[in-house]
Amino acid sequence: EAGVTQFPSHSVIEKGQTVTLRCDPISGHDNLYWYRRVMGKEIKFLLHFVKESKQDESGMPNNRFLAERTGGTYSTLKVQPAELEDSGVYFCASSQGHPYSGYTFGSGTRLTVV
Amino acid sequence: GQNIDQPTEMTATEGAIVQINCTYQTSGFNGLFWYQQHAGEAPTFLSYNVLDGLEEKGRFSSFLSRSKGYSYLLLKELQMKDSASYLCAVPGGGTYKYIFGTGTRLKVLA
């Protein structure tokens, strides 16, 4: 089966611009997660979708971040306007049910804000 | 609150055995995960422990002691391809999210 796909793999934007990251989960996985790793720090949870509904968005840093999952398939994470501290690697993951058998992660999008 | 500690870096020799430790503090416990992440790639699932003891999967084993808030990942017969970051994670208290440690970067030398 195809894994979790993220696009783009790298993005370099200027402060104040907008960037949209996309994640295609494994087909049939109702649960989709976004995480972020800032350089030197641990991977941190951003939010969790169940199908098209936001189940938990407690990790979203501020209202410059907007995540959507229309139709319960792929998801987008928009950062508008981007700030320097938004730089990092954004990971998407998906799971069928409760992730006790582990998530499947995508390879991440490396975002650099200059 | 929840906190996870792992060593930042470890170095070992090809063919050797290495033990990567993880200590955690959680409010409630629902198991502990280990993930492997090669540079620039996706983290991949290695193991999930919810009961005390050692679980073996080929060259990799994972141990858990709930009373001590301690786990380790044991890698035997190290190979160059085992050079990667190893991430310890716990579920975030009744939710589907994970709390990750900062990861241990393992370098395997020839």
Side-chain angles (χ1 to χ4, degrees), chain A residues 31 33 35 37 40-43 45 48 56 58 91 95 97-103 105-107, chain B residues 30 33 35 37 40-45 48 85 87 91 94-103:
Chain A
N31 296 281
Y33 316 84
Y35 282 79
R37 185 168 198 166
K41 299 286 184 76
E42 69 274 21
I43 297 174
F45 171 82
H48 168 212
D56 180 354
S58 61
F91 290 102
S95 70
H98 200 294
Y100 287 147
S101 56
Y103 294 158
F105 278 92
S107 298
Chain B
N30 289 299
F33 295 86
Y35 279 80
Q37 185 182 19
E41 297 183 11
T44 55
F45 172 82
Y48 171 63
S85 285
L87 309 171
T95 70
Y96 283 31
K97 66 184 179 188
Y98 289 179
I99 309 297
F100 280 92
T102 53

Side-chain angles (χ1 to χ4, degrees), chain B residues 17-106:
Chain B
I17 298 173
V18 71
Q19 178 175 311
I20 302 174
N21 296 326
C22 170
T23 57
Y24 63 88
Q25 294 174 310
T26 60
S27 50
F29 181 75
N30 289 299
L32 184 142
F33 295 86
W34 283 97
Y35 279 80
Q36 179 191 59
Q37 185 182 19
H38 287 98
E41 297 183 11
T44 55
F45 172 82
L46 289 178
S47 66
Y48 171 63
N49 293 66
V50 65
L51 299 176
D52 290 350
L54 185 68
E55 293 198 7
E56 299 185 60
K57 279 187 188 178
R59 294 189 300 113
F60 290 11
S61 303
S62 55
F63 172 84
L64 177 68
S65 169
R66 289 173 295 174
S67 62
K68 295 181 180 176
Y70 168 68
S71 173
Y72 67 72
L73 183 68
L74 192 71
L75 291 74
K76 301 177 188 174
E77 301 168 19
L78 280 174
Q79 302 175 9
M80 300 298 287
K81 67 178 181 181
D82 297 330
S83 292
S85 285
Y86 291 86
L87 309 171
C88 177
V90 295
T95 70
Y96 283 31
K97 66 184 179 188
Y98 289 179
I99 309 297
F100 280 92
T102 53
T104 299
R105 191 161 58 248
L106 173 67

Side-chain angles (χ1 to χ4, degrees), chain A residues 28-73:
Chain A
H29 279 194
D30 288 341
N31 296 281
L32 186 148
Y33 316 84
W34 283 98
Y35 282 79
R36 176 174 74 171
R37 185 168 198 166
V38 172
M39 190 185 303
K41 299 286 184 76
E42 69 274 21
I43 297 174
K44 282 195 171 178
F45 171 82
L46 296 178
L47 89 160
H48 168 212
F49 281 100
V50 178
K51 296 184 180 178
E52 67 275 11
S53 299
K54 291 175 186 174
Q55 189 73 16
D56 180 354
E57 50 185 331
S58 61
M60 294 288 265
N62 51 60
N63 60 10
R64 294 186 295 103
F65 289 75
L66 175 65
E68 294 181 324
R69 192 182 182 195
T70 307
T73 54

